[in-house]
Amino acid sequence: VGRKRKIESLKLSVYEGKNMKFSCSFPRSELGPDDADWLQFTAEDSTNNMELNFRVRIASKPIVSKSDFESIYNDTNLAYEEIELKDDATGLQSDSALLQAFRHKSGSKKAILWILGKNDGFMHSHVFYRLLNESKFDLYVLNYRYSARCLRKGWVEDPHFNSHCHAGTHDVYKNEISKALKTMQTTK
C-alpha cells in the first residue's frame, strides 16, 4: 500500500470466492530496510483456523540483472525444454499453454510446478538457483494460454486476448494444469 517508490505498508488477503477469509497488514517499519535480507513473517487467524507464513524483502532496484535472468536458460547442469500443451477442444495454437521444463541432466526425483500469476512471467532467477541447484528440484513453469511466453512465441493473434482468456472463465486453466502435471509425471 502506498505510492510509487514509497511503500507505507504490506497488506495480504486470502479469499474464498468473493468472500475474504483472512487479512493482515504490516507497517513499512516492520518490513526492514531497503535491500536487507529476507524477513520471515507469520500471521494467524484463529477464527478461520488459518496461518500464513511468508517472506518479504524490499528491493530498491531490480533483484536480478538481464544477464542473471538469461543465465537460467544456459545452466550446463540442466536440460531446458519448452513443451506446447494443446487445447483438446479447439486444437488452436492460440489456445495452447506453454510448459517450460528445467530438468537436471543427472536426474531428479523431485519436481515443482510453478504456476504463474496473471500478467506474470518467469523471471525469478534468484529463486531458480535455490530451487534447482541447492535443493536439486526439477522445475516446470506453466505459462497459461494468452500469457507470458505464449505471447512471445506469437501464438496470440488477437490483442484483445493478451493475458485474457476468451472463454470468460478460468475453468479452461484446469486442463492446462492437469496436462502440466501429467507431463511432469511422464517425462522424468
Side-chain angles (χ1 to χ4, degrees):
V1 179
R3 288 174 277 184
K4 191 173 185 177
R5 301 194 189 281
K6 186 170 181 349
I7 299 168
E8 295 171 5
S9 65
L10 173 68
K11 181 178 179 182
L12 300 170
S13 301
V14 177
Y15 287 84
E16 183 175 2
K18 293 183 179 181
N19 299 323
M20 186 180 349
K21 302 295 280 181
F22 176 64
S23 185
C24 59
S25 184
F26 296 86
R28 174 63 179 93
S29 61
E30 292 181 20
L31 302 177
D34 287 1
D35 305 313
D37 210 359
W38 291 88
L39 296 176
Q40 179 75 35
F41 289 87
T42 300
E44 297 181 12
D45 178 10
S46 57
T47 307
N48 291 302
N49 196 26
M50 298 178 108
E51 181 178 277
L52 179 64
N53 296 293
F54 60 96
R55 293 173 34 163
V56 173
R57 178 179 180 264
I58 305 297
S60 63
K61 57 190 179 298
I63 295 174
V64 295
S65 68
K66 185 176 181 181
S67 63
D68 287 337
F69 172 71
E70 290 172 351
S71 71
I72 66 177
Y73 297 97
N74 301 315
D75 189 312
T76 58
N77 297 314
L78 302 171
Y80 175 71
E81 182 181 8
E82 293 184 347
I83 304 161
E84 182 179 356
L85 304 176
K86 287 197 178 272
D87 183 293
D88 296 328
T90 69
L92 299 173
Q93 190 170 49
S94 60
D95 289 336
S96 293
L98 180 77
L99 185 64
Q100 296 173 266
F102 300 88
R103 293 188 289 264
H104 286 273
K105 290 179 180 175
S106 60
S108 176
K109 294 184 181 198
K110 304 181 288 184
I112 291 177
L113 176 60
W114 186 302
I115 300 175
L116 300 176
K118 186 163 176 58
N119 292 328
D120 196 5
F122 184 72
M123 57 209 153
H124 306 284
S125 59
H126 59 294
V127 176
F128 172 89
Y129 285 110
R130 292 183 77 184
L131 287 174
L132 276 79
N133 293 332
E134 291 177 21
S135 303
K136 303 297 183 204
F137 281 92
D138 286 344
L139 177 64
Y140 293 82
V141 180
L142 178 59
N143 296 260
Y144 294 114
R145 65 180 73 197
Y146 305 118
S147 68
R149 293 191 72 89
C150 298
L151 294 169
R152 204 165 170 199
K153 288 191 156 296
W155 294 352
V156 182
E157 297 171 3
D158 187 336
H160 291 103
F161 300 130
N162 179 349
S163 298
H164 301 282
C165 175
H166 70 80
T169 174
H170 293 290
D171 289 347
V172 296
Y173 300 135
K174 292 177 186 175
N175 187 43
E176 295 174 10
I177 294 169
S178 294
K179 282 187 169 208
L181 291 170
K182 185 173 182 148
T183 301
M184 289 170 65
Q185 292 170 337
T186 59
T187 57
K188 279 287 176 189

